[in-house]
Amino acid sequence: TLDGSIPSADSTVFGQDVIDERYGETVVHAVCVAPDKAPSPVAESKVLEIFQRDRTPVFKPVGPGPFVTSVEVTIFARKGSKVLYTTDGSDPSESQTSVAYEGPFILSRIGVTIVKAVASREGKADSVVASNNYRILEQIKPLVMDPSVGTFIHNVTMTLSCETPDVIIKYTTDGSKPTAASQGYDAE
């Protein structure tokens, strides 16, 4: 029983997990019964206290991206809620690295960053921890063309270069925009 009464053979039969969604203190009493047998002694739970949780925070934008060089993250929660967040993937309700959310923040570390947030407010249990991944990509430095403009007689030798290591330069000579399938430039 969930109403504080002592159960009997006529009480509700337990068939699966008992779910109590009433908020506040609850005492659960239970007894085992079987035909032609004396019932078990009544078992009593310790006090169960059920609190309504605060609403789970929501991230904008939703990850994972990718985002180029950085992304500004906003966390939305119910008015009056205090939000703690982390950017190291740890649980903000338990982490020493958690920060109180005061407004949008920028992530700019190249790679994947796991942001977690939890909301809390008086009279409510902490929200479920929200989690979002953000993938930040490095921006390739601008391509340098030498010469980049001019009028030439007969032909011209053009050099293409980029300061970003390990890039593959793709180009066209017909006025179309280069794609991954375009011809590759060999500086050698």
Side-chain angles (χ1 to χ4, degrees), residues 39-56:
S40 71
V42 174
E44 178 178 301
S45 74
K46 301 297 180 199
V47 175
L48 301 174
E49 192 155 3
I50 300 173
F51 289 94
Q52 184 177 23
R53 284 187 179 270
D54 200 356
R55 186 177 297 159
T56 304

Side-chain angles (χ1 to χ4, degrees), residues 56-118:
T56 304
V58 175
F59 299 100
K60 295 289 182 193
V62 176
F67 302 93
V68 179
T69 66
S70 67
V71 61
E72 183 177 81
V73 178
T74 303
I75 302 173
F76 295 92
R78 181 172 272 167
K79 185 177 180 178
S81 294
K82 177 184 172 187
V83 175
L84 295 175
Y85 73 94
T86 59
T87 57
D88 61 4
S90 63
D91 183 333
S93 53
E94 301 172 353
S95 177
Q96 293 182 350
T97 63
S98 64
V99 177
Y101 180 76
E102 296 178 358
F105 56 93
I106 295 177
L107 299 175
S108 57
R109 187 175 58 83
I110 302 303
V112 175
T113 298
I114 301 169
V115 179
K116 291 188 176 185
V118 65

Side-chain angles (χ1 to χ4, degrees), residues 126-146:
D126 286 355
S127 72
V128 172
V129 174
S131 180
N132 211 337
N133 296 345
Y134 292 94
R135 184 171 175 228
I136 311 295
L137 300 178
E138 177 182 5
Q139 175 68 58
I140 294 176
K141 295 191 176 12
L143 178 70
V144 176
M145 302 172 100
D146 184 38

